[in-house]
Amino acid sequence: MSRRRAILAAATAGCLALGVPTAASASASADSWWGWGGHRHGQHAPVTPTPSDTATPAPSDDDESDATPTPAPTADAAPIEDTTPAAEPEAADPAADAEPATDAEADAERETAAEPQADDAAVAPSASFVEDFATDAVTGLVASLYPQAWQPYPDGTSGIYAPSKTVSVHDGVMDVALGTGAGAAGTFGSSAGAWDHVGGSFSVRAKATGGDGNGAAFMLWPTSGTWSDGEIDFPEGNFEDSPSAFHHSMTPGKEADRVQIGTGVSWRDWHTYTVDWVPGESVTYSVDGEVLDTVTHDVPTTPHRFMFQVGNWGAKGNLLIDWVSTTE
């Protein structure tokens, strides 16, 4: 077992909590929360929808039929301390007495801060599904312009999520606004195919600016809605801390037990996070192509979906997603 892994038991009260990945019969008044600080606060009864080509599977307050109580996902672990080495300060430039930047130059600098840099290995891999967010979409139009790439939760889900008010696409990134009083959540892929992943490679290139007190969880969550079918979270953590991977137990009643794998990197920099899942055999976690660890127990064998969630509290900031890819 890697020194970076530690089996952690279900924790108690947490400082940060989000709503569950709900589905067709989830109620907006859900009283169940989870977090990546992230201690379990109860449980909910999500029922995963049946995908179709004509309608986006999503939580609804109207359909309470055939609801099978199942636990909500958690990441019951304290955030890992950011061990990313601090950059050495650059030597003073004798020419630093140059005139300060004009307001226009400063504005241009801020506008390009979100743009992925070419020297950051920004190219998405060849995969069955790749979305690099090349088409700009203002807030409220992302779902309609990316119907084959992202299936957002309806506004008001669990009283937390309002993607139509927080998510936009510009400069080649999906931009999730933080600290607006509303969170965001959604599944990557088409309405017909996003719920059928049984194994494969799942990657996202992301960073966060600001947003202290908030965080994100990217995860593979079972289509069945049954927690013991396996939960794989990566990357996950508060934005002021270092993200981790959380690999959950598949033993019914002990799903909150999990392996936590630290990354040692910062949300503040662009990084590519990859999960390679071989059903029933192994799950390998990597950052920027470097393997962190491989887990060979509690490996799912049933269909899952690849999604993310962001809360509705904390400081203002932005979660930026350069691209996402999945294979089967």
Side-chain angles (χ1 to χ4, degrees):
M1 179 181 293
S2 167
R3 288 179 295 176
R4 282 189 267 202
R5 299 200 320 192
I7 300 292
L8 306 174
T12 54
C15 61
L16 181 65
L18 274 191
V20 303
T22 52
S25 67
S27 167
S29 61
D31 59 0
S32 178
W33 312 95
W34 63 282
W36 38 83
H39 309 293
R40 201 158 165 68
H41 294 275
Q43 59 186 47
H44 188 44
V47 176
T48 302
T50 300
S52 73
D53 291 322
T54 57
T56 298
S60 167
D61 294 335
D62 300 327
D63 183 7
E64 295 294 337
S65 61
D66 301 324
T68 303
T70 56
T74 77
D76 305 292
I80 300 253
E81 180 182 356
D82 182 2
T83 57
T84 305
E88 292 292 332
E90 294 184 2
D93 184 353
D97 294 328
E99 295 180 10
T102 64
D103 288 344
E105 290 171 336
D107 288 342
E109 245 179 61
R110 283 191 293 272
E111 287 174 3
T112 58
E115 297 181 10
Q117 300 302 306
D119 57 0
D120 282 324
V123 179
S126 175
S128 303
F129 164 80
V130 178
E131 182 52 65
D132 60 4
F133 304 108
T135 301
D136 286 0
V138 298
T139 304
L141 293 183
V142 180
S144 60
L145 291 177
Y146 287 89
Q148 299 302 312
W150 189 54
Q151 312 303 316
Y153 283 21
D155 287 0
T157 300
S158 297
I160 294 175
Y161 305 114
S164 75
K165 300 177 181 178
T166 57
V167 181
S168 62
V169 175
H170 62 86
D171 302 306
V173 299
M174 173 180 273
D175 185 340
V176 184
L178 309 171
T180 65
T187 297
F188 293 112
S190 69
S191 60
W195 276 257
D196 299 329
H197 299 294
V198 182
S201 183
F202 304 83
S203 296
V204 61
R205 187 168 186 266
K207 69 177 287 186
T209 61
D212 287 8
N214 205 337
F218 291 80
M219 70 179 73
L220 282 159
W221 174 249
T223 298
S224 66
T226 301
W227 196 7
S228 58
D229 281 348
E231 176 186 355
I232 297 170
D233 306 327
F234 188 60
E236 180 175 353
N238 275 19
F239 293 133
E240 67 269 28
D241 299 311
S242 179
S244 294
F246 296 93
H247 187 103
H248 285 255
S249 169
M250 293 175 64
T251 300
K254 295 186 176 181
E255 295 94 341
D257 293 354
R258 73 273 185 267
V259 171
Q260 178 174 346
I261 303 168
T263 63
V265 301
S266 172
W267 279 108
R268 306 312 187 192
D269 303 313
W270 285 110
H271 291 290
T272 299
Y273 304 90
T274 300
V275 172
D276 290 305
W277 166 28
V278 181
E281 295 184 18
S282 65
V283 178
T284 299
Y285 299 91
S286 306
V287 174
D288 300 328
E290 179 182 349
V291 173
L292 300 174
D293 209 346
T294 297
V295 179
T296 57
H297 59 83
D298 298 299
V299 178
T301 59
T302 60
H304 280 54
R305 58 188 172 112
F306 188 48
M307 58 166 295
F308 81 96
Q309 293 180 318
V310 175
N312 64 339
W313 46 85
K316 289 186 178 298
N318 302 82
L319 170 65
L320 305 171
I321 302 171
D322 182 12
W323 53 260
V324 59
S325 72
T326 68
T327 62
E328 296 182 359

